[in-house]
Amino acid sequence: MPALRSIDWSALPAELTAFWTEYHLCTLSTLDRHGAPHAVPVGATLDREEGCAWIITRRGSQKVRNLGRDARLTITQVDRGRWASLVGTGEVHEDAESVARACELYAARYRPPTPNPERVAIRVSVERILGSVQVLPAG
């Protein structure tokens, strides 16, 4: 299980990029107030242009509250024997530009999200990528 530590978003392997554009729900794991894992299903997208990942959610959700206490997180997606995890930190953004960017990417991977006045975007700074799909450039 190799990991990318210093991520060059423009050099992500094609297999990994393709896996993160296919329609797969993900699991977001954050830490609750007791330090225990809190895992929930989410839609997550890679943003190679901005060098991050995005999740859209509701302002008052448990995941948002958890990230307010401890920004560490992992996003994992699985498709049979293929899997990949993004490990990093999340920051909640409420500004219209960030929410629009996250919704645009979500719509491209999944479907256009329904309007929600409570919507916020979680911008994920990815520190490591783990997985069974190729995560390191060949060579």
Side-chain angles (χ1 to χ4, degrees):
M1 281 179 264
L4 284 173
R5 294 205 181 266
S6 179
I7 297 170
D8 178 356
W9 288 87
S10 65
L12 288 181
E15 181 184 357
L16 180 68
T17 301
F19 188 52
W20 281 93
T21 58
E22 297 168 7
Y23 186 105
H24 299 293
L25 289 180
C26 303
T27 302
L28 170 67
S29 298
T30 58
L31 297 173
D32 71 13
R33 64 184 178 168
H34 304 291
H38 174 257
V40 295
V42 296
T45 58
L46 290 185
D47 187 339
R48 291 177 58 163
E49 290 177 28
E50 293 194 19
C52 66
W54 292 98
I55 295 169
I56 58 174
T57 190
R58 184 179 48 81
R59 180 177 290 113
S61 68
Q62 185 64 50
K63 61 183 108 17
V64 166
R65 290 195 302 272
N66 290 348
L67 290 171
R69 285 187 296 273
D70 189 327
R72 294 176 293 170
L73 59 76
T74 300
I75 304 167
T76 301
Q77 70 176 17
V78 177
D79 177 43
R80 299 181 185 199
R82 298 184 309 154
W83 66 275
S85 291
L86 309 177
V87 180
T89 57
E91 183 177 15
V92 178
H93 289 259
E94 297 189 24
D95 63 284
E97 185 177 322
S98 294
V99 173
R101 177 69 178 169
C103 286
E104 172 189 341
L105 293 168
Y106 182 94
R109 184 173 189 194
Y110 300 103
R111 60 174 172 73
T114 57
N116 182 347
E118 294 295 310
R119 177 162 294 127
V120 296
I122 299 172
R123 180 184 166 97
V124 179
S125 298
V126 180
E127 298 164 6
R128 293 183 297 150
I129 302 175
L130 309 168
S132 65
V133 295
Q134 182 184 2
V135 296
L136 290 172

